[in-house]
Amino acid sequence: MANHNTAAFEEKPMWAGGRSPFNVSYGKLMMWIFLLSDAFTFSSLLVGYGAIRFSFSTADVKWPDPAAIFNHFPFMHGYFLPLLFVSVMTFILIFSSVTMVLAVEAGHRNSKKEVSKYMFYTILGGLAFLGCQAWEWSQFIGDGGRLDSNFFGITEQGYKHLSTVGFGDHFHWNEGDRTWGPVPFASLFFIVTGFHGFHVFSGVVINVIIWINTIRGTYEKRGHYEMVEKTGLYWHFVDLVWVFVFTFYYLI
Amino acid sequence: MGNFHHTPGEYDPITYVPHTESHGTKELWRTFWILLGITILDFILYFTMPPGLFRNVVFIFFGVVKAYYIVGAFMHMKNEKVNLAMCILVPTVFIIGLVAGLLYEGNALSTY
């Protein structure tokens, strides 16, 4: 259908009409513009996080060090393992990005079987990431993080205690290590990772719809797998946002 | 298709889809290994470098490098027309403006 004679359109002068000046479909261009607006939303959240964090640099109770809080790993309870679990989450999301782009590549070859296989792997990756995030949240809430309060105001005694534990050592908070800390730390953690997690959830739902359509042969009948490319753009964007959430929440 | 009269074989802005070809999977896997390598490097530097401004700049630089590979290779921005790429990438300078503005005005926040 739409795939016939496209080469003839692409040879016409760029802005003279009767062709797409950027050689791009309507839907894909709209997806790019949506992602640009979403990039503004996320950067506002992250830049706002940075500004509020900076504003606490002269406060009495310091902004907590992320390594002091996110140091749990499943089945390794009581060990001090900062950054390890979130690195695993990053790996899961990067890997699901690869399976997504492999689905797009298979779509370029009109291989229905491979597209549905890689879409399935991508959905599994997305669900695994969401499960990890749920676990991360439950640990944080269990340790005293709430939307409206934050029990991670680490005292001088707490920092002294932290400086004695190395990677992989046993670690438990002592009495007097912590007090009530900056509230925006916990609320912004829930807002930003929650907003990103909701994007992942939407991405999984959209991927499932595209996967079902692929299996039912909708795109085979249509003659092209461009819908896979569009959902792929969204999925890679979610991965891109996670790169910056990872940088600003866990590394810095 | 579309809501207007349209003869088959004519350009239709609603249904037009450019012909795409597979570029193979080699570059995609290479990108995956680069992204994984940078993430592992992040992990190592977190424990080996002293915390401070320099380490933060390194981490943000690595984030931008990862963004370049995700957008360029995974989202196929490298294969799009330069005009389209610029339409999407140039407006992100507003984010730099936001960062600059909050760095400049950020001191006012410390009063609360």
Side-chain angles (χ1 to χ4, degrees):
Chain A
M1 190 176 65
N3 252 356
H4 305 306
N5 296 325
T6 50
F9 301 141
E10 286 159 24
E11 279 159 20
K12 285 185 175 180
M14 203 178 194
W15 295 104
R19 65 165 290 190
S20 163
F22 294 163
N23 282 348
V24 69
S25 72
Y26 169 78
K28 206 163 153 188
L29 188 63
M30 290 303 114
M31 180 55 93
W32 271 115
I33 289 169
F34 163 68
L35 294 182
L36 179 63
S37 70
D38 223 18
F40 286 130
T41 313
F42 272 110
S43 51
S44 305
L45 284 169
L46 286 173
V47 174
Y49 168 82
I52 289 174
R53 180 176 177 168
F54 180 73
S55 77
F56 276 88
S57 54
T58 52
D60 297 335
V61 186
K62 294 269 178 298
W63 195 264
D65 177 9
I69 297 144
F70 307 109
N71 53 30
H72 305 285
F73 199 83
F75 311 113
M76 298 287 278
H77 185 70
Y79 291 91
F80 187 72
L81 298 163
L83 210 62
L84 191 62
F85 186 59
V86 78
S87 298
V88 171
M89 283 167 76
T90 308
F91 170 76
I92 290 170
L93 212 53
I94 291 174
F95 197 77
S96 82
S97 253
V98 175
T99 56
M100 183 77 241
V101 83
L102 289 174
V104 172
E105 193 270 339
H108 289 163
R109 290 183 280 107
N110 285 322
S111 166
K112 177 183 160 183
K113 216 173 126 193
E114 277 181 76
V115 173
S116 51
K117 180 179 82 180
Y118 286 124
M119 284 306 293
F120 177 67
Y121 291 159
T122 309
I123 292 162
L124 282 187
L127 290 174
F129 180 85
L130 285 173
C132 289
Q133 191 143 52
W135 191 85
E136 178 97 332
W137 273 38
S138 71
Q139 292 298 312
F140 185 58
I141 294 166
D143 277 353
R146 297 285 186 281
L147 251 182
D148 58 354
S149 66
N150 162 29
F151 196 52
F152 285 104
I154 298 158
T155 57
E156 244 172 77
Q157 179 200 323
Y159 275 114
K160 249 181 224 155
H161 180 197
L162 278 171
S163 65
T164 61
V165 278
F167 190 82
D169 290 351
H170 280 281
F171 176 72
H172 280 290
W173 290 110
N174 290 335
E175 190 74 30
D177 278 356
R178 300 185 294 167
T179 174
W180 297 106
V183 173
F185 170 79
S187 36
L188 280 167
F189 176 78
F190 285 121
I191 290 167
V192 177
T193 62
F195 200 57
H196 174 264
F198 188 64
H199 272 72
V200 177
F201 173 74
S202 323
V204 170
V205 171
I206 297 165
N207 281 349
V208 167
I209 294 168
I210 302 294
W211 182 49
I212 292 169
N213 276 344
T214 306
I215 291 169
R216 291 179 65 191
T218 309
Y219 306 131
E220 199 174 36
K221 240 180 276 162
R222 200 176 284 178
H224 58 81
Y225 283 79
E226 169 142 286
M227 282 308 285
V228 179
E229 270 182 65
K230 282 181 242 174
T231 187
L233 283 179
Y234 180 74
W235 192 251
H236 297 312
F237 178 76
V238 167
D239 184 22
L240 179 69
V241 169
W242 180 253
V243 163
F244 287 100
V245 172
F246 175 64
T247 304
F248 286 103
Y249 271 83
Y250 296 94
L251 291 175
I252 289 178
Chain B
M1 306 295 279
N3 294 325
F4 45 86
H5 291 291
H6 172 254
T7 45
E10 196 184 320
Y11 171 73
D12 178 350
I14 306 296
T15 60
Y16 169 76
V17 171
H19 180 68
T20 43
E21 260 171 56
S22 166
H23 295 274
T25 56
K26 211 175 150 192
E27 200 208 342
L28 307 176
W29 280 110
R30 195 179 67 103
T31 309
F32 166 71
W33 290 115
I34 291 169
L35 290 174
L36 186 64
I38 297 174
T39 306
I40 292 170
L41 204 58
D42 272 336
F43 188 82
I44 295 168
L45 288 181
Y46 186 82
F47 294 104
T48 50
M49 274 176 87
L53 182 67
F54 180 63
R55 193 179 76 172
N56 291 350
V57 170
V58 168
F59 285 149
I60 293 170
F61 173 73
F62 280 172
V64 173
V65 171
K66 280 188 263 189
Y68 168 79
Y69 279 106
I70 290 171
V71 175
F74 283 175
M75 296 166 97
H76 301 297
M77 190 64 118
K78 280 180 194 163
N79 304 336
E80 301 289 359
K81 279 201 174 286
V82 179
N83 282 333
L84 172 62
M86 287 304 133
C87 284
I88 302 301
L89 296 178
V90 170
T92 56
V93 298
F94 286 113
I95 297 170
I96 299 167
L98 180 66
V99 173
L102 278 173
L103 282 178
Y104 187 72
E105 300 279 358
N107 275 332
L109 284 170
S110 348
T111 54
Y112 88 96

